[in-house]
Amino acid sequence: MRWNALLPALAVTTTLSCVDDAAARPLAFTGVRLIDGQSSKPIEDAVLIVGGERIVTAGSRTTVVVPSDAEIRDLHGRTIMPGLISDHSHVGIVHGVDVGAQNYTRENILAQLKAYTARGVTTVMALGLNGAIMPEIRAEAHAGRIPGADLFGVDRGIGVPDGGPPQAMVRVSPDQLFRPASAEEGRDAVRAMKERGTDMVKLWLDDFGGSVPAKMQPAVYAAVIDEAHRLGLRVAAHVHDLEDARAVVRAGADVLAHGVRDKPVDPDFVTLLEARHTWYIATLALDEATFAYADAPPWAQTPFVRTALSHDLKARFDDPVWQRDTRSSTKAQGARDSLAMNLANLRVLKDAGVRIGFGTDSGAAPERVPGVAEHRELMLMVQAGFTPMEALNIATSQAADLLGLRDRGQLEAGRRADFIILSADPSEDIANSTRIIEVWQRGRLQEPGSSASP
């Protein structure tokens, strides 16, 4: 079954771009180091030509002909790469250090989309917990009528009565989450999400370390997956433990929305992922964020990070009492253990050739900072054994593939002109992905600024 839930949105953007492209004067970026999103090494002394919202051509200076009427921008010493694409984020959940349904407002969501793009994340999949205003904002983002990252999203998502995701954690309203008690209620929830134009179905299978009394029953998640596939939708599953991941993949889940973090993956599980062509999003930065800011590492003190923090969040991270209590907490130790296991398992799956997506669960909790988490994910992927170029390709072209988006993720003719200009080469040092000079989206330079998440 070919998933085509995002095709209507692509048709809208393609139609609009054709109108713009017809009148646009080409813009040629010359002398750049080009990371195109698919090659194993950068193209040196390259040229990128943009016409309207689209890329006209990109490649080596020796193979690209610059139009005579093009505006030239000589960027020798700079690197251009595709905008990052997050397959697993959230919007409207957090405001400062506050979490809850009261934050799901247009103003807050728009501010967060701008915060993503300010740090080079040009497309975001809000993977669940979305309210009634999501379709309206998503349509505006697709049409380019609002600034910030292009937005896709799971409508509400499907949780468990008295189970995951814990209401005490997410504090969402009833119109942001389904909690079906039976297989038929699960099918009803999927049909309701389909009617509202959801881009994917999300279910929560994890019991959050035994902190909730119930997990989703096999009959329910099997019905949810079956109904979703019948309606042409794919299913992403929130998991933590190996056996949950194994069970939901066997039931037909298309995407594991988190990495396996309780024990090492075994050969049978690896074979299962390969046979089912299941996508795997590790979300390494999720667990790191639980303790890292309390450790106050050098990267957390950089302007790139500090200017992304709201006043309240900055005050929390700087509080010695909060730092001490967080470092010594059971939750922090559990997160350290989960991250170590996640890193090891991702290395195994990488070597096996499993399809890897890119996401962080950013925006779901205050410490998972939009735009910052994505660059931490890149760095952690390199720690797990990826080369910088492999990590960058996953965060661009492979992330687009996971979402079924054929119009972005690579710098080649016909694709959206979503790209980042960097002052240094991230293929040499992945930390250079944060050295952003400019962010371009749909062929337009985005406004500079700190764009701190609210």
Side-chain angles (χ1 to χ4, degrees), residues 35-46:
I35 295 174
D36 62 12
Q38 58 180 335
S39 301
S40 60
K41 62 182 180 179
I43 303 171
E44 300 292 343
D45 195 14

Side-chain angles (χ1 to χ4, degrees), residues 133-416:
I133 61 174
M134 161 61 82
E136 173 188 335
I137 297 175
R138 178 181 57 185
E140 292 181 72
H142 289 342
R145 295 198 299 268
I146 56 176
D150 196 8
L151 178 63
F152 295 87
V154 166
D155 171 60
R156 298 184 189 181
I158 300 176
V160 184
D162 299 320
Q167 179 61 15
M169 176 187 298
V170 296
R171 302 174 188 170
V172 294
S173 64
D175 75 344
Q176 290 178 264
L177 181 66
F178 290 103
R179 293 189 186 272
S182 67
E184 190 52 42
E185 287 184 7
R187 290 182 184 275
D188 288 343
V190 173
R191 289 191 286 266
M193 293 169 69
K194 173 69 172 181
E195 288 177 4
R196 284 191 291 271
T198 191
D199 292 317
M200 194 181 286
V201 170
K202 164 82 172 286
L203 64 83
W204 280 263
L205 186 56
D206 180 26
D207 67 357
F208 291 79
S211 65
V212 292
K215 290 172 61 173
M216 186 175 291
Q217 294 300 303
V220 176
Y221 64 71
V224 166
I225 294 169
D226 179 70
E227 189 68 19
H229 288 174
R230 189 183 70 81
L231 296 175
L233 296 168
R234 293 196 302 172
V235 179
H238 174 115
V239 297
H240 182 284
D241 297 349
L242 175 60
E243 294 312 316
D244 286 342
R246 193 193 315 274
V248 79
V249 172
R250 284 175 174 165
D254 305 283
V255 180
L256 291 179
H258 295 285
V260 171
R261 289 164 281 167
D262 67 324
K263 62 179 67 171
V265 294
D266 56 51
D268 288 344
F269 179 68
V270 175
T271 300
L272 178 65
L273 293 181
E274 293 174 315
R276 299 296 181 92
H277 305 291
T278 308
W279 285 94
Y280 186 95
I281 307 173
T283 63
L284 301 163
L286 182 162
D287 284 309
E288 184 195 52
T290 302
F291 60 83
Y293 291 101
D295 292 345
W299 63 260
Q301 311 309 314
T302 62
F304 181 84
V305 174
R306 296 290 289 181
T307 57
L309 308 180
S310 68
H311 174 78
D312 290 345
L313 189 56
K314 194 179 299 182
R316 171 181 285 184
F317 289 163
D318 291 345
D319 180 0
V321 175
W322 177 86
Q323 292 175 354
R324 182 199 63 208
D325 291 347
T326 299
R327 285 195 301 268
S328 62
S329 68
T330 301
K331 182 179 179 181
Q333 185 54 55
R336 294 180 195 275
D337 294 342
S338 288
L339 176 59
M341 184 59 66
N342 205 356
L343 287 164
N345 284 336
L346 184 59
R347 186 177 299 114
V348 170
L349 298 178
K350 167 195 179 297
D351 292 343
V354 169
R355 297 200 295 181
I356 307 297
F358 184 74
T360 65
D361 208 20
S362 55
E367 64 271 12
R368 301 172 201 167
V369 183
V372 172
E374 285 67 32
H375 292 271
R376 287 305 305 161
E377 190 77 12
L378 289 171
M379 295 174 196
L380 290 166
M381 290 176 71
V382 171
Q383 184 178 329
F386 293 82
T387 68
M389 286 295 289
E390 287 173 335
L392 292 169
N393 289 348
I394 287 171
T396 54
S397 62
Q398 284 189 218
D401 286 346
L402 186 153
L403 297 179
L405 298 172
R406 306 292 178 241
D407 68 337
R408 66 196 77 187
Q410 296 180 31
L411 299 182
E412 64 177 13
R415 303 253 183 172
R416 281 173 51 125

Side-chain angles (χ1 to χ4, degrees), residues 44-225:
E44 300 292 343
D45 195 14
V47 178
L48 173 71
I49 299 178
V50 174
E53 299 183 351
R54 300 279 158 166
I55 295 169
V56 175
T57 189
S60 169
R61 177 180 59 83
T62 61
T63 62
V64 173
V65 177
V66 178
S68 59
D69 63 338
E71 177 184 345
I72 308 295
R73 287 192 63 191
D74 185 356
L75 295 180
H76 277 84
R78 307 304 194 192
T79 299
I80 293 183
M81 61 169 283
L84 300 176
I85 297 172
S86 175
D87 296 322
H88 185 174
S89 293
H90 294 274
V91 295
I93 307 300
V94 174
H95 187 280
V97 297
D98 185 43
V99 176
Q102 68 279 4
N103 299 325
Y104 206 87
T105 66
R106 177 183 177 85
E107 178 183 14
N108 193 30
I109 293 171
L110 296 188
Q112 290 172 351
L113 294 179
K114 290 180 68 176
Y116 277 113
T117 296
R119 281 159 181 77
V121 184
T122 53
T123 299
V124 170
M125 165 62 90
L127 206 63
L129 308 178
N130 294 305
I133 61 174
M134 161 61 82
E136 173 188 335
I137 297 175
R138 178 181 57 185
E140 292 181 72
H142 289 342
R145 295 198 299 268
I146 56 176
D150 196 8
L151 178 63
F152 295 87
V154 166
D155 171 60
R156 298 184 189 181
I158 300 176
V160 184
D162 299 320
Q167 179 61 15
M169 176 187 298
V170 296
R171 302 174 188 170
V172 294
S173 64
D175 75 344
Q176 290 178 264
L177 181 66
F178 290 103
R179 293 189 186 272
S182 67
E184 190 52 42
E185 287 184 7
R187 290 182 184 275
D188 288 343
V190 173
R191 289 191 286 266
M193 293 169 69
K194 173 69 172 181
E195 288 177 4
R196 284 191 291 271
T198 191
D199 292 317
M200 194 181 286
V201 170
K202 164 82 172 286
L203 64 83
W204 280 263
L205 186 56
D206 180 26
D207 67 357
F208 291 79
S211 65
V212 292
K215 290 172 61 173
M216 186 175 291
Q217 294 300 303
V220 176
Y221 64 71
V224 166
I225 294 169

